[in-house]
Structure formats: C-alpha cells, structure tokens
C-alpha cells in the first residue's frame, strides 16, 4: 500500500477553462437596401459589430438606433404637402328634422 495522498486539483486549475472562447466572426446577415441612402448607411453600420467582441456590440447598436431615430424625426420635420383636412371638417351641417312647421 502506498502512503501517498491522491492528487487533488487546485482551485486555479478547476476554474480555468479547457479552451479559449472563439474570436468574433461575421454573422453574414444580409441587409436589403431600403432606397433611403441615410437609412441604408445606418443599416450597413450594423456590419461593424461583426468584428467586435460581444461587449462592443452595444455601442454599435446604440449608434445605429440613434441614427435611425434621427432619420425618422427628420421625416416629420420636412416641409411637404399638408395633410388633407379631416372629412369631419368638410361635412355640411345636418338639417334639423325635429322642428318642421
């Protein structure tokens, strides 16, 4: 019989992962052009996240979100053809049916 104690793993060895995490890789998600150059540029910016670690995605997503929100806000601010008046404003007054003589 041997008096040698069985080998035990140290805490550092137990916590250390067996493999390294994978490097960032492109997702290759296709982006269909919208026809609006400003919006398309923001959508293309999403591709920048493909080469970043996950913790870097937030900055790209927030930047794209901000740009798309600004583009939508600009659509509301553009002068254009005024909206047609409501059909309620064009309605003729109703005849009074209760007071016939």
């Amino acid at each position: 019989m041997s008096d040698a104690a069985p080998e035990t793993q140290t805490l550092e060895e137990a916590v250390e992962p067996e493999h390294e995490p994978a490097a960032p890789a492109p997702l290759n998600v296709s982006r269909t052009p919208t026809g609006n150059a400003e919006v398309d540029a923001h959508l293309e910016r999403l591709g920048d996240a493909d080469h970043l670690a996950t913790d870097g995605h937030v900055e790209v997503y927030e930047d794209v979100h901000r740009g798309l929100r600004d583009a939508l806000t600009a659509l509301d601010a553009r002068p254009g053809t005024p909206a047609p008046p409501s059909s309620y404003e064009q309605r003729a007054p109703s005849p009074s049916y209760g007071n016939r003589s």
Side-chain angles (χ1 to χ4, degrees):
M1 292 189 132
S2 171
D3 289 340
E7 289 184 32
T8 58
Q9 232 179 1
T10 65
L11 181 58
E12 290 176 6
E13 292 172 344
V15 174
E16 189 173 311
E18 293 181 18
H19 57 82
E20 292 295 318
L27 295 175
N28 296 321
V29 175
S30 64
R31 289 175 279 286
T32 305
T34 64
N36 180 306
E38 183 180 4
V39 170
D40 290 342
H42 290 298
L43 294 178
E44 283 300 314
R45 169 99 165 89
L46 290 172
D48 293 348
D50 286 348
H51 308 288
L52 299 173
T54 306
D55 60 346
H57 291 192
V58 173
E59 181 181 343
V60 173
Y61 295 155
E62 286 177 348
D63 183 46
V64 170
H65 180 257
R66 188 178 319 107
L68 292 173
R69 186 181 56 228
D70 291 347
L72 286 172
T73 301
L75 289 175
D76 288 338
R78 288 186 188 158
T81 309
S86 159
S87 61
Y88 295 109
E89 295 171 7
Q90 295 176 352
R91 190 178 291 173
S94 302
S96 176
Y97 294 108
N99 294 336
R100 290 196 173 178
S101 303

